[in-house]
Structures are given as structure tokens and as C-alpha cells.
Amino acid sequence: RMLVLANRIGHMCPSDPFPYVRQKLTAWGAVAHVLPIRLDLVLGDEELKELEGFLIENYHGLVAIGGADIHPEVYGEEQNDGYHPLQGVCRRRGNPIRSGDSSAGDRGDVDIGPLRYFREIDEFERDLLQTWMKVDQGTVFGICRGHQLLSVILGGDLTSDIASMHPQKVRHRAPAVDECEDQDQATSGKSSWHVMKLLDKSNILYKTLGKTEILVNSRHHQAIMFPETQDIKSARVVGVTDDVIEAMELDGGRGFTVQFHPEDMQTEDGDRVIKAMVDTTRARARARSPSRFPPPSTCTCTCPTNTCPFDGNGTAEQQQPASSGGGDRERKTT
């Protein structure tokens, strides 16, 4: 069982891009659920502790996904107004303008109101991830925002905006996305594509993909940068692009994090990264509780092909995942 952490309301809707993570996990054989946001509003402190205990007892993997920016105060920084004013207007074409511009309506721009930092959600997700990793029973994975949040939890420093603070670096958003200050519109835009380099051949990603250079998608402006200056504990940097840390692996094979969006790449490499999350989780769960995860000879599941998709080593056979819906996706050929 794997749990996907929602960090905004849209993540619980089938039409949102991020439930595609759950669908992809399910396609590779996991039982995947989505944890709703803002449970702290309806549960007291003791109930939240009970919830954490239930999740630790009943789930084998946690996936922190992409979404809204992490509030700068969560990682000890001040807000960078070079990219994120407190109010913003997203133009359908052209450069962004600020609220209060009297000509906005004349040009057909869209006032999107307050920009979306969700500090309470950041703190709830951070606390749950910290408890999960402290108990050290299941795997944990991060995608985009989740990669950044886990990096901060483990001691990393987050750069609040690549474009304004390091304009010479590789672009990590498509131009159309950089023109939009609204998070919902930005994350639904097309990606920028670039090559990520794996630093060695001993990590899970290399063992999964079999190569050290991977074409990946990207649509973010916050980042964990400059590996030589980071003091990240209990994890190691395994993938970089132009000083941006694109992938980390947790100590002891407990999981990994990636800055890109494998669920949305629509390439074999993207599918295999999601598959690696399921494989790693199942292998760790089987090692801890062999009786609960029997080999195929005694498996009683009912698979579409009448054969269990997992081999004796706890990894899925080399096959394409079943169709998982999610609508049309951007596709990049490698």
C-alpha cells in the first residue's frame, strides 16, 4: 500500500494532473490512496497522532508530490518578491503584471488574487514526513515539491527562485509558464526539458534506467542547488543539472526523490521511475514481513493476465503498465 500526499484541493479531483501519480502507481501493482489536505482542521492533536500511527501501521510507502510553492519561512528564507508578489495578475500572453494595474482589464488579463502559499499544509506535510522517516518502517519518495520538502527536512537549503537569483542557469520552466504568476496555471503548463546526469552507477535510478543521462521534464522555480554547499543528512545527491539537485537517494535504500515529473513524462524512463517506487516499496515490505508478501507460487491475487506481475525478487516484470487514464499528456520522445 502506498499513500500519495495531497497538498491542494485539486489533488483529490480526477481531472487534476497529480492523481495521475496514484494511477501510475496502481498500474505497476501498488494499492495507492490519496491523503486529503487540511486534516488538521477537523482532527485534534491526539487524533492526528492516532492518524499517524494508523498510516505507519497500514502503509508501506509515502509519496510527496508536486504542487504549490513551499512557504519561504518553512525553510528559513524571506519571500523573494522578484518572482512572487503577494498579489499577482496572470496574463494569457506577454509578461506578468501586478494587481492594481489600471490597464489590466483593458488588455484582457486575469486577476488571480492572492498567490498560493499554504504554510499550514507545508507544516502538516513536513511533520508527517518527519514522523514517518523517524519510525523508519516504510519507503518515502518525493516528486518536484516533494523532493524540495524532503530536502529541507533533511537539512538542505532551498533557493526561492532560480530565474531571478541565477538567471544564467538552465531554464526549469517553459517560457509560457514563466509568464504566469499563478501556481495553478503554472503547474498545468507545458514543461521545459533538459538532461539530468546521474553521478554514479550505484543508485536506484541508474539500476532502474541503465544510463547516466536522462531527458527529464521540469516546471518549477524553487530548487535545491549547489550540492557542494548543502548539508543534507541521511541522503545523498545522485542526479544534477547545472548545479540544481535533481535526484537524491535516502540512506539504506529507503526511497528517492526527483525534481522532475516522471508521472507526466509519457516516456519509458518516466514509467520506469514510477515502477522503481513500487519495486522499492514492495521489496522493503517483503524483507520486513515475508509472510505477508509471499512469492508468486503462493500469490492469490487476480491479475488481468492471470499471472502475478511481481517476480520472486519483489520487482515487477519488464512490461508496460496497464492504461491508467488521466487524459492527454505532454509527450517527449527520447
Side-chain angles (χ1 to χ4, degrees), residues 155-315:
D157 293 322
L158 192 61
T159 296
S160 59
D161 181 45
I162 303 172
S164 64
M165 300 173 74
H166 304 284
Q168 76 280 11
K169 298 299 181 182
V170 169
R171 180 183 289 275
H172 285 260
R173 284 190 175 197
V177 178
D178 271 333
E179 292 170 1
C180 179
E181 293 178 347
D182 173 41
Q183 287 298 296
D184 284 341
Q185 293 191 36
T187 54
S188 66
K190 297 296 183 181
S191 296
S192 171
W193 290 80
H194 57 264
V195 173
M196 178 190 74
K197 294 184 178 180
L198 294 177
L199 301 180
D200 60 63
K201 298 182 179 181
S202 63
N203 58 77
I204 295 172
L205 289 175
Y206 178 81
K207 293 176 181 178
T208 298
L209 302 172
K211 52 188 175 183
T212 56
E213 294 190 353
I214 305 105
L215 185 65
V216 298
N217 58 356
S218 177
R219 49 178 182 269
H220 64 100
H221 75 102
Q222 293 181 319
I224 301 290
M225 299 185 69
F226 307 111
E228 66 278 2
T229 68
Q230 297 288 344
D231 186 25
I232 298 173
K233 300 175 177 62
S234 303
R236 64 190 180 100
V237 177
V238 298
V240 297
T241 300
D242 196 20
D243 286 328
V244 173
I245 298 175
E246 298 262 4
M248 300 192 309
E249 183 171 314
L250 278 66
D251 292 350
R254 297 172 56 195
F256 57 85
T257 69
V258 294
Q259 180 62 74
F260 54 95
H261 285 270
E263 81 284 359
D264 207 22
M265 287 169 62
Q266 296 297 298
T267 65
E268 183 178 357
D269 286 346
D271 286 342
R272 289 193 176 195
V273 171
I274 298 292
K275 170 184 175 293
M277 295 180 180
V278 179
D279 291 351
T280 303
T281 301
R282 189 174 182 89
R284 187 174 177 86
R286 177 173 287 164
R288 287 179 173 271
S289 304
S291 62
R292 294 183 62 185
F293 299 92
S297 59
T298 56
C299 181
T300 58
C301 70
T302 304
C303 302
T305 58
N306 296 319
T307 59
C308 182
F310 293 95
D311 63 25
N313 295 320
T315 58

Side-chain angles (χ1 to χ4, degrees), residues 56-226:
I56 291 169
E57 177 67 25
N58 290 277
Y59 286 89
H60 308 100
L62 218 59
V63 186
I65 58 175
D69 282 351
I70 301 169
H71 196 290
E73 292 181 8
V74 172
Y75 54 92
E77 295 283 343
E78 294 184 359
Q79 181 171 298
N80 178 4
D81 284 349
Y83 186 87
H84 271 297
L86 291 176
Q87 298 280 331
V89 171
C90 176
R91 298 187 63 179
R92 297 187 184 279
R93 293 180 177 83
N95 295 319
I97 60 175
R98 294 176 182 260
S99 280
D101 186 332
S102 60
S103 63
D106 297 336
R107 292 197 297 255
D109 301 325
V110 181
D111 188 345
I112 55 89
L115 290 170
R116 291 173 172 83
Y117 284 125
F118 300 105
R119 180 169 181 171
E120 294 84 356
I121 295 176
D122 295 341
E123 292 173 342
F124 174 79
E125 191 172 356
R126 178 197 62 194
D127 293 347
L128 176 57
L129 288 166
Q130 286 177 328
T131 301
W132 179 274
M133 291 190 288
K134 183 177 180 180
V135 173
D136 190 22
Q137 284 194 198
T139 55
V140 62
F141 306 94
I143 295 173
C144 195
R145 163 195 158 90
H147 162 78
Q148 296 168 4
L149 185 57
L150 282 162
S151 300
V152 169
I153 291 172
L154 297 174
D157 293 322
L158 192 61
T159 296
S160 59
D161 181 45
I162 303 172
S164 64
M165 300 173 74
H166 304 284
Q168 76 280 11
K169 298 299 181 182
V170 169
R171 180 183 289 275
H172 285 260
R173 284 190 175 197
V177 178
D178 271 333
E179 292 170 1
C180 179
E181 293 178 347
D182 173 41
Q183 287 298 296
D184 284 341
Q185 293 191 36
T187 54
S188 66
K190 297 296 183 181
S191 296
S192 171
W193 290 80
H194 57 264
V195 173
M196 178 190 74
K197 294 184 178 180
L198 294 177
L199 301 180
D200 60 63
K201 298 182 179 181
S202 63
N203 58 77
I204 295 172
L205 289 175
Y206 178 81
K207 293 176 181 178
T208 298
L209 302 172
K211 52 188 175 183
T212 56
E213 294 190 353
I214 305 105
L215 185 65
V216 298
N217 58 356
S218 177
R219 49 178 182 269
H220 64 100
H221 75 102
Q222 293 181 319
I224 301 290
M225 299 185 69
F226 307 111

